[in-house]
Every structure is written in structure tokens, then in C-alpha cells.
Amino acid sequence: MKIKSVSYYFKEAFQDMRHNKSMLLASVGITLVMFVIMGFFFLFTSNLNYMIKDEEQKLQITAFLRDDIETERIQAIEQELSEIEGVRRVYFVSNQEALERLSERLGKRKGLLTGYEEDNPLRHSFEIYVKKSNEVPQIAQVTETIRDIAEVRFGRDEVEKLTRLSTSLRIGMFFLAVGLSASSLLVLMNTIRLTIDARGEEIQIMKYVGASDWFIRWPFLLQGMILGLLGALIAGLILLALYSRLYAYVIREIPFLPMLPANPHLFNLIQIIALGGLAIGFFGSMISLGKYLKV
Amino acid sequence: MLTFDSVTKTFENQVCALDNVSFNIKRGEFVYIMGPSGAGKSTIFRLLTLEERPTSGQIILENQVINTLRRSRVAALRRRLGVVFQDFRLLPNKTVYENVAFAMKVVEASETHIKERVPLLLELVRLLPRKDSYPDQLSGGEQQRVAIARALANDPGILICDEPTRNLDSATAKEIMRLLNLVNERGMTVLMATHDREMVNFMQQRMIIIESGKKVLDQTKGGVSS
């Protein structure tokens, strides 16, 4: 491919786009909307997975003690718990500490707890950290048999629920992506087809004088790729602006909610979106060009 | 130079456009393909440019069997053919100069070569003074002369003209015929489809007559050959 030809391809591509502004806007618009929706879905599921990971890491057993327990007994239970096979660490959480933690998690809304300082409704508990997460159920079972332990909880239920939600969201996202990509591809194909129609005669002459298929294709492929990329990049910027705001809000207002930071996560997503835009543009043009090259 | 060897073309709807047609054209010859509309003249041209492939038989151009060429080689083949259409097919948004230069540009000829060659071609067709005019500012005859210059742009081995005088009045048609004759005298092989007997009589040349897809006559300048 000669450099002179490359400049010819770009010149032709931009010339066509200038002549076809309304379709240009339509294709950039639909690509943009598609990528914004898909981007948000993707970010949502990524964050959900991040939360699942976070929960899994925290996977521990909480053993609540009976209300009227004595201090000596607490120490004895701590000893018993540490001796269970597979337990890494045992940490005692007094009802006072539990209340402080809750107050911290509530952030600005800790006023809700006013009045509970004197009459603490929470129970003492032990946090039991295990060596292997798959041993959690057995260790929980053993823990339950220890005297004066009122209730044993472990986070598996939440993790399972979140995992199920994440899986169904991913399936939903897949179908949404297919549908949106198809409609975006169709609009782009239509745009390129219009410009090809406008230049049908030129293409025919090019074929007759012996221009290669690729020489004819490139201006249209470039046009498709530029439109796809433009839509994708604008979508990327919109996602970046909205997500950064959301992130700042979550950090400020709901600090205990784990959320992925924009950098590098969103920047990687923007790169993928840009590639997607290029691909949609390329294939849209390729399909549209098909019948014109059969002269 | 060009050989059609027992070429038959049957379309999918079972219409037989060419039936076992054979002829041989030597380098530098001027040959008319004559016959009424629908006789098969255009099919011969479409087979030559590989828009269609023969159902059976062989087409040989400069010692190369072309009807079996792969699709990717078609562009290279077409650079060896100069094509002139009855409806000129000039690009309306390009000047005379640009129309001719376009044919060279799209086969990636160098800028220097284009700048040298286009004025020479326009001089040959006597349109150099009008190089900056647009097609709609030209008469039909002038437009066809631009089309001939364009067909010659990439120095083809053979010029194929599909009824180039059909849309022109008699005087202009003769002018085009003189130009094609001049091009032929300079060594170019010319194959021209026509159904205009007056033109054929005007320029005494070899004539192949096709009727209902069959070759019915192959007459050299002086008499009838096989």
C-alpha cells in the first residue's frame, strides 16, 4: 500500500462524511448509545464481582455468644475455638466494639444509633478466620456444638446470592450486547451503503480500469471505522464522566460499599470499546461493500 | 493476441447468449463485432472483462487463458483492457483532466507519470484546451473522446468499445470512428461492437457477425474468412 494511496483513502473518506452528515450523526449516535448502555452494564457486573470477591475474602464465621455470658467463659471459648482444626485466627468482638463498627459503617447516619450506647442491643461475638474457605461449613458446624454459643453465621449465603445475580446479569448482558451491536451494525451499514450508492458509478469505473478490490474498499472501510471509533470514544468519555461522579458519591456517602476505581478499570474498558467501535465500522462497511465489488 | 475458442455462455435461466463461438484477433487488428441487439455482442465483452465466465470453451489473451483466472487476478487483467462504453460513463464531478487522471490514480500510477501522460492523451483526442471543463460542458462527441483517452490511460493491450457511436449523430460518430482508426494505426488492437452498418461501411475493417449467439460471418477487409 503506497503512502500516496493512504492519503487518498482518508481524503475520500472525509469527503463522503461531509456529504452525508445526517446519516453520520445517526450512526455515531446509535453506536454511542449502544456503548454507553453496554458500558454501564459491564461496569455494574464488574462491580458486583468485585463485591463478591470482597465478600469471599471476608469469608469468616461469626459466632454470637449468649447475652449473659461471663468473662472467664469467653476466654475459655476463645481457647476452644483456636484449637479447632483449620482455624487461622480468632478475634473477640465485644458488643461495644460491634456498636462502634456499626456506627462507623453508617457514617453520616450514625445518629440512628442514639440512645443505644446505654442499652446496647448487640451481642458479643467471635470472628473466626479460616485457613481454607471450603472448610467454612465444617468449622461452623463444630463451632455450633460449643456451649454458650447462641448462633453461628457465615457469609456463604450472601456470596451465593450475589454470584447467582452476577451470572444472570452476565447472560442478560450478552443478549443485550448482541442486540445492540446488531442494531448499531445495521445503522452503520446503511450509512456506508448510502455513500456507496452515491458513488456506484465511480466504483464501477474503478473496477473497469483495474483498481484492486482493496483500493476501492479502503475509503469506505476507513469511513466506517472512523464513525465506529467516534461513537465509541464519545461513549467512553460519557462513561468516564458519569462513573467518576458516581465513584466520588459512593466513596463519600456509602463508604462501606466496595467499588472499583475508574483508573485503570474504566480506562481498560474504554480501550475495549474503542476496538469494538473499529470492528463494528470495519465489518459494517465490509458487508455493505460486498455486492458492489462483484462487477 | 485474443482468441475465443469454442466459447459458449448459458445463463442460469437457460438462455444461451453465445453458442460455440470461435475467432482469433491478431495484434494491431481493428475488428467490428456486429449483430442486432441481444445477439450476444455484449456477452463477448462481459466475458472479456470477466464480469461473466464462459460455460465452456476458452478465452486466451496474449497467450494467457483468462476465463479461469482467480478473482484476485481480475483487476490486473482489466488493466490490460481499455473499455469504452456507449454512455461514456464519465464522472460528472471531475474535470476532463481529472477523469483521465482518475483511471491512472486508482491503479496507483505515480504522480509524475500521470502528469506526463494525461496531457499527451488529451492531445491525441484533441481536448487539451478543454482539460478543465466538466463533462456536462462538453458535447456527446467530446465526452466520448474523453472516455477514449481514459480507456487508453493505462496503456492497455486491447481497446474494447461497446457501441461507442450509438448515442451520437452521424457526423460526430464518424469523428469518433476516425479517432479510433488513428489509435489503431498507432498499433492498438481495437474490438468494437456495433449494429450500425453505415459505420462499418465507412471504415472498411474486419467484421464478425453474431446472430442469436452464433457466429454467422467473419469477413476480413477484403473478403470472408473462416
Coordinates of all heavy atoms in Angstrom, one line a residue, chain A residues 1-2 4-5 8-9 11-12 15 199 201-202 204-213 215 217 293-295, chain B residues 49 51 71 75 78-79 81 83 85 89-94 102-103 105-111 114 150 154:
Chain A
M1 N 0.9 -1.2 0.0 CA 0.0 0.0 0.0 C 0.9 1.2 0.0 O 1.8 1.4 0.8 CB -0.9 0.0 1.3 CG -2.0 1.0 1.2 SD -2.8 1.2 2.8 CE -3.4 -0.4 3.1
K2 N 0.6 2.1 -1.0 CA 1.5 3.3 -1.1 C 1.0 4.4 -0.2 O -0.2 4.6 0.0 CB 1.5 3.8 -2.5 CG 2.2 2.8 -3.5 CD 2.2 3.3 -4.9 CE 2.8 2.3 -5.8 NZ 2.8 2.7 -7.2
K4 N 0.9 7.5 -0.8 CA 0.0 8.4 -1.5 C -1.4 7.9 -1.5 O -2.4 8.7 -1.4 CB 0.6 8.5 -3.0 CG -0.2 9.5 -3.9 CD 0.6 9.7 -5.2 CE 0.6 8.4 -6.0 NZ -0.6 8.4 -6.9
S5 N -1.5 6.6 -1.6 CA -2.9 6.0 -1.7 C -3.5 6.1 -0.3 O -4.7 6.4 -0.2 CB -2.8 4.5 -2.0 OG -2.1 4.3 -3.2
Y8 N -5.0 9.4 -0.1 CA -6.2 9.3 -1.0 C -7.4 8.7 -0.2 O -8.5 9.3 -0.2 CB -5.9 8.6 -2.2 CG -7.1 8.2 -3.1 CD1 -7.7 9.0 -4.0 CD2 -7.7 6.9 -2.9 CE1 -8.8 8.7 -4.7 CE2 -8.8 6.5 -3.6 CZ -9.4 7.4 -4.5 OH -10.5 7.0 -5.2
Y9 N -7.2 7.6 0.5 CA -8.2 6.9 1.2 C -8.9 7.8 2.2 O -10.1 7.9 2.4 CB -7.7 5.6 1.9 CG -7.1 4.6 1.0 CD1 -6.0 3.8 1.5 CD2 -7.5 4.4 -0.3 CE1 -5.5 2.8 0.7 CE2 -6.9 3.5 -1.1 CZ -5.9 2.7 -0.6 OH -5.3 1.7 -1.4
K11 N -8.7 11.1 2.4 CA -9.4 12.3 1.7 C -10.8 11.9 1.3 O -11.8 12.6 1.5 CB -8.5 12.7 0.5 CG -8.6 14.2 0.3 CD -7.8 14.6 -0.9 CE -8.6 14.6 -2.2 NZ -7.9 14.5 -3.4
E12 N -10.9 10.7 0.6 CA -12.2 10.3 0.1 C -13.1 10.0 1.3 O -14.3 10.4 1.2 CB -12.0 9.0 -0.7 CG -11.2 9.1 -2.0 CD -11.9 10.0 -3.0 OE1 -13.0 9.7 -3.4 OE2 -11.3 11.0 -3.4
Q15 N -14.4 13.3 2.7 CA -15.2 13.9 1.7 C -16.6 13.3 1.8 O -17.6 14.0 1.8 CB -14.6 13.7 0.4 CG -15.2 14.7 -0.7 CD -14.5 14.5 -2.0 OE1 -13.3 14.2 -2.1 NE2 -15.2 14.5 -3.1
R199 N -21.8 6.7 -4.9 CA -20.5 6.6 -5.7 C -20.5 5.3 -6.5 O -19.4 4.9 -7.0 CB -19.3 6.7 -4.8 CG -19.3 8.0 -4.0 CD -18.2 8.1 -3.1 NE -16.9 8.0 -3.9 CZ -15.7 8.1 -3.3 NH1 -15.6 8.3 -2.1 NH2 -14.7 8.1 -4.1
E201 N -21.3 4.7 -9.6 CA -20.7 4.8 -10.9 C -19.2 4.8 -10.9 O -18.5 4.2 -11.7 CB -21.2 6.1 -11.5 CG -21.3 6.1 -13.0 CD -21.9 7.4 -13.5 OE1 -22.1 8.3 -12.8 OE2 -22.1 7.4 -14.8
E202 N -18.7 5.6 -9.9 CA -17.3 5.7 -9.7 C -16.6 4.4 -9.4 O -15.6 4.0 -10.0 CB -17.0 6.7 -8.5 CG -15.8 7.4 -8.6 CD -15.7 8.5 -7.6 OE1 -16.8 9.2 -7.4 OE2 -14.7 8.7 -6.9
Q204 N -17.8 1.5 -10.3 CA -17.8 0.7 -11.5 C -16.7 1.0 -12.4 O -16.0 0.1 -13.0 CB -19.2 0.9 -12.2 CG -19.8 -0.4 -12.6 CD -21.1 -0.2 -13.2 OE1 -21.4 0.9 -13.7 NE2 -21.9 -1.2 -13.3
I205 N -16.4 2.3 -12.6 CA -15.3 2.8 -13.4 C -14.0 2.3 -12.9 O -13.1 1.8 -13.6 CB -15.4 4.3 -13.6 CG1 -16.6 4.7 -14.5 CG2 -14.1 4.8 -14.3 CD1 -16.9 6.1 -14.4
M206 N -13.9 2.4 -11.6 CA -12.7 1.9 -10.9 C -12.4 0.4 -11.2 O -11.3 0.0 -11.5 CB -12.7 2.1 -9.4 CG -12.6 3.6 -9.0 SD -13.1 3.9 -7.3 CE -11.6 3.8 -6.4
K207 N -13.5 -0.3 -11.2 CA -13.4 -1.8 -11.4 C -13.0 -2.0 -12.9 O -12.1 -2.8 -13.2 CB -14.8 -2.5 -11.2 CG -15.3 -2.5 -9.8 CD -14.4 -3.4 -8.9 CE -14.4 -4.9 -9.3 NZ -13.6 -5.6 -8.3
Y208 N -13.6 -1.2 -13.8 CA -13.3 -1.4 -15.2 C -11.8 -1.1 -15.6 O -11.2 -1.7 -16.5 CB -14.2 -0.6 -16.1 CG -15.5 -1.4 -16.4 CD1 -16.7 -0.9 -15.9 CD2 -15.5 -2.6 -17.0 CE1 -17.9 -1.6 -16.2 CE2 -16.7 -3.3 -17.3 CZ -17.9 -2.8 -16.8 OH -19.0 -3.5 -17.0
V209 N -11.3 0.0 -14.9 CA -9.9 0.3 -15.3 C -8.9 -0.5 -14.5 O -7.7 -0.3 -14.6 CB -9.6 1.9 -15.1 CG1 -10.5 2.7 -16.0 CG2 -9.8 2.3 -13.7
G210 N -9.4 -1.4 -13.6 CA -8.5 -2.3 -13.0 C -8.0 -1.9 -11.6 O -6.9 -2.4 -11.1
A211 N -8.8 -1.1 -10.9 CA -8.4 -0.8 -9.5 C -8.6 -2.1 -8.6 O -9.6 -2.8 -8.9 CB -9.3 0.3 -8.9
S212 N -7.7 -2.3 -7.7 CA -7.9 -3.6 -6.9 C -9.0 -3.4 -5.9 O -9.4 -2.3 -5.6 CB -6.6 -3.8 -6.1 OG -6.4 -2.8 -5.1
D213 N -9.6 -4.5 -5.5 CA -10.7 -4.5 -4.6 C -10.4 -3.7 -3.3 O -11.2 -2.9 -2.8 CB -11.1 -5.9 -4.1 CG -11.8 -6.6 -5.2 OD1 -12.1 -6.0 -6.3 OD2 -12.1 -7.9 -5.1
F215 N -8.2 -1.3 -3.0 CA -8.1 0.2 -3.3 C -9.5 0.8 -3.2 O -9.7 1.9 -2.7 CB -7.5 0.4 -4.7 CG -7.2 1.8 -5.0 CD1 -6.0 2.3 -4.7 CD2 -8.2 2.6 -5.5 CE1 -5.7 3.7 -4.9 CE2 -7.9 4.0 -5.8 CZ -6.7 4.5 -5.5
R217 N -12.1 -0.6 -1.5 CA -12.7 -0.7 -0.2 C -12.2 0.3 0.8 O -13.0 0.7 1.6 CB -12.3 -2.1 0.3 CG -13.2 -3.2 -0.1 CD -12.7 -4.5 0.6 NE -13.3 -5.7 -0.1 CZ -12.6 -6.7 -0.5 NH1 -11.3 -6.7 -0.4 NH2 -13.2 -7.7 -1.1
L293 N -18.6 -5.0 -5.2 CA -17.3 -5.5 -5.7 C -17.5 -6.6 -6.7 O -16.5 -7.2 -7.2 CB -16.4 -5.8 -4.6 CG -16.0 -4.5 -3.8 CD1 -15.1 -4.9 -2.6 CD2 -15.2 -3.6 -4.7
K294 N -18.7 -7.1 -6.9 CA -18.9 -8.2 -7.7 C -19.0 -7.9 -9.2 O -19.6 -8.6 -10.0 CB -20.1 -9.0 -7.3 CG -19.9 -9.8 -6.0 CD -21.0 -10.7 -5.7 CE -20.8 -11.3 -4.3 NZ -22.0 -11.0 -3.5
V295 N -18.6 -6.7 -9.6 CA -18.7 -6.3 -11.1 C -17.7 -7.1 -11.9 O -16.6 -7.2 -11.5 CB -18.3 -4.8 -11.2 CG1 -18.4 -4.4 -12.7 CG2 -19.2 -3.9 -10.4
Chain B
T49 N -14.1 -9.0 -20.0 CA -13.7 -8.2 -18.7 C -13.9 -9.1 -17.5 O -13.8 -8.6 -16.4 CB -14.6 -7.0 -18.6 OG1 -16.0 -7.3 -18.7 CG2 -14.3 -5.9 -19.7
E51 N -16.6 -10.1 -16.2 CA -17.9 -9.9 -15.5 C -18.7 -11.2 -15.5 O -19.5 -11.5 -14.6 CB -18.7 -8.8 -16.1 CG -18.1 -7.4 -15.8 CD -18.8 -6.4 -16.7 OE1 -19.9 -6.0 -16.4 OE2 -18.1 -6.0 -17.7
R71 N -10.4 -14.6 -8.9 CA -11.0 -13.3 -8.7 C -9.9 -12.2 -8.3 O -10.0 -11.1 -8.8 CB -12.0 -13.4 -7.5 CG -13.3 -12.6 -7.8 CD -14.2 -12.6 -6.6 NE -14.0 -11.4 -5.8 CZ -14.5 -10.2 -6.2 NH1 -15.2 -10.1 -7.3 NH2 -14.3 -9.2 -5.4
A75 N -8.5 -7.7 -11.4 CA -8.1 -6.3 -11.5 C -6.9 -6.2 -12.4 O -6.8 -5.3 -13.3 CB -7.8 -5.7 -10.1
R78 N -7.9 -6.5 -16.0 CA -8.6 -5.3 -16.6 C -7.7 -4.1 -16.9 O -8.0 -3.3 -17.7 CB -9.7 -4.9 -15.6 CG -10.8 -5.9 -15.6 CD -11.9 -5.5 -14.7 NE -13.0 -6.5 -14.7 CZ -13.9 -6.6 -13.7 NH1 -13.9 -5.8 -12.7 NH2 -14.8 -7.5 -13.8
R79 N -6.5 -4.1 -16.3 CA -5.5 -3.0 -16.6 C -5.0 -3.3 -18.0 O -4.4 -2.3 -18.6 CB -4.4 -3.0 -15.6 CG -4.9 -2.6 -14.2 CD -3.7 -2.6 -13.2 NE -4.3 -2.5 -11.9 CZ -3.7 -2.3 -10.8 NH1 -2.4 -2.1 -10.8 NH2 -4.3 -2.2 -9.6
L81 N -6.9 -4.1 -20.5 CA -8.0 -3.8 -21.4 C -8.4 -2.4 -21.2 O -8.5 -1.8 -20.1 CB -9.3 -4.7 -21.0 CG -9.1 -6.2 -20.9 CD1 -10.4 -6.7 -20.2 CD2 -8.9 -6.8 -22.2
V83 N -11.6 0.1 -21.9 CA -13.0 -0.1 -22.2 C -13.7 1.2 -22.5 O -13.6 2.2 -21.7 CB -13.8 -0.8 -21.0 CG1 -15.2 -1.3 -21.4 CG2 -13.0 -2.1 -20.6
F85 N -17.6 2.8 -23.3 CA -19.0 2.4 -23.3 C -19.8 3.4 -24.1 O -19.4 4.5 -24.4 CB -19.5 2.6 -21.8 CG -18.7 1.8 -20.8 CD1 -17.7 2.4 -20.1 CD2 -19.0 0.5 -20.6 CE1 -17.0 1.7 -19.2 CE2 -18.2 -0.2 -19.6 CZ -17.2 0.4 -18.9
R89 N -19.9 7.1 -19.5 CA -19.6 6.9 -18.1 C -18.4 7.7 -17.6 O -17.5 7.2 -17.0 CB -19.3 5.4 -17.9 CG -20.5 4.6 -18.2 CD -20.4 3.3 -17.5 NE -21.4 2.4 -18.2 CZ -21.5 1.1 -18.0 NH1 -20.7 0.5 -17.2 NH2 -22.4 0.4 -18.6
L90 N -18.6 9.0 -17.8 CA -17.6 10.0 -17.2 C -18.1 10.4 -15.8 O -19.3 10.3 -15.5 CB -17.4 11.2 -18.0 CG -16.9 10.9 -19.4 CD1 -16.8 12.3 -20.2 CD2 -15.5 10.3 -19.4
L91 N -17.2 10.7 -14.9 CA -17.6 11.2 -13.6 C -17.9 12.7 -13.7 O -17.1 13.5 -14.0 CB -16.5 10.9 -12.6 CG -16.2 9.5 -12.4 CD1 -14.9 9.3 -11.5 CD2 -17.4 8.7 -11.8
P92 N -19.2 13.0 -13.4 CA -19.7 14.4 -13.6 C -19.0 15.4 -12.7 O -18.9 16.6 -13.1 CB -21.2 14.3 -13.3 CG -21.3 13.1 -12.5 CD -20.3 12.2 -12.9
N93 N -18.5 15.0 -11.6 CA -17.9 16.0 -10.6 C -16.4 16.1 -10.9 O -15.7 16.8 -10.1 CB -18.2 15.6 -9.2 CG -17.7 14.2 -8.9 OD1 -17.4 13.4 -9.8 ND2 -17.6 13.9 -7.6
K94 N -15.9 15.5 -11.9 CA -14.5 15.6 -12.2 C -14.3 16.3 -13.6 O -15.1 16.1 -14.5 CB -13.8 14.3 -12.2 CG -13.6 13.7 -10.8 CD -12.8 12.4 -10.9 CE -12.4 11.8 -9.5 NZ -13.0 12.2 -8.3
F102 N -7.9 10.0 -13.1 CA -8.6 9.1 -12.2 C -8.2 7.7 -12.5 O -7.9 6.9 -11.6 CB -10.1 9.4 -12.2 CG -10.9 8.5 -11.3 CD1 -10.8 8.7 -9.9 CD2 -11.7 7.5 -11.8 CE1 -11.5 7.9 -9.0 CE2 -12.4 6.7 -10.9 CZ -12.4 6.9 -9.6
A103 N -8.3 7.3 -13.8 CA -8.1 5.9 -14.2 C -6.7 5.5 -13.8 O -6.4 4.4 -13.5 CB -8.3 5.8 -15.7
K105 N -4.8 7.1 -11.4 CA -4.7 7.2 -9.9 C -5.1 5.9 -9.2 O -4.5 5.4 -8.3 CB -5.6 8.3 -9.5 CG -5.0 9.1 -8.3 CD -5.9 10.3 -7.9 CE -5.2 11.6 -8.2 NZ -6.1 12.7 -7.8
V106 N -6.3 5.3 -9.7 CA -6.8 4.2 -9.0 C -6.0 2.9 -9.2 O -6.2 1.9 -8.6 CB -8.3 4.0 -9.3 CG1 -9.1 5.2 -8.9 CG2 -8.5 3.6 -10.8
V107 N -5.1 2.9 -10.2 CA -4.2 1.8 -10.3 C -2.8 2.2 -9.7 O -1.8 1.5 -10.0 CB -4.1 1.3 -11.8 CG1 -5.4 0.8 -12.3 CG2 -3.5 2.3 -12.7
E108 N -2.9 3.2 -9.0 CA -1.7 3.7 -8.2 C -0.5 4.0 -9.1 O 0.7 3.7 -8.7 CB -1.3 2.6 -7.1 CG -2.5 2.4 -6.1 CD -2.2 1.5 -5.0 OE1 -1.6 1.9 -4.1 OE2 -2.7 0.3 -5.1
A109 N -0.7 4.7 -10.2 CA 0.3 5.2 -11.0 C 1.0 6.4 -10.3 O 0.4 7.1 -9.5 CB -0.2 5.6 -12.4
S110 N 2.3 6.6 -10.6 CA 3.0 7.7 -9.9 C 2.4 9.1 -10.4 O 2.0 9.2 -11.6 CB 4.5 7.6 -10.1 OG 4.8 8.1 -11.4
E111 N 2.5 10.1 -9.6 CA 2.0 11.4 -9.9 C 2.8 12.0 -11.1 O 2.2 12.6 -12.0 CB 2.3 12.3 -8.7 CG 1.3 13.5 -8.5 CD -0.2 13.1 -8.5 OE1 -0.6 12.2 -7.6 OE2 -0.9 13.6 -9.3
I114 N 1.4 10.4 -14.2 CA 0.1 10.9 -14.5 C 0.2 12.3 -15.2 O -0.4 12.5 -16.2 CB -0.8 11.0 -13.3 CG1 -1.0 9.6 -12.7 CG2 -2.1 11.7 -13.5 CD1 -1.7 9.6 -11.3
R150 N -9.4 8.1 -21.5 CA -9.4 7.4 -20.3 C -9.1 5.9 -20.5 O -8.3 5.3 -19.7 CB -10.7 7.6 -19.5 CG -10.7 6.9 -18.2 CD -12.0 7.0 -17.5 NE -13.1 6.3 -18.2 CZ -14.4 6.5 -18.0 NH1 -14.8 7.3 -17.0 NH2 -15.3 5.9 -18.7
N154 N -4.1 3.6 -19.1 CA -3.1 2.7 -18.5 C -2.4 1.8 -19.6 O -2.0 0.7 -19.2 CB -3.9 1.9 -17.5 CG -4.3 2.7 -16.3 OD1 -3.5 3.6 -15.8 ND2 -5.5 2.6 -15.8

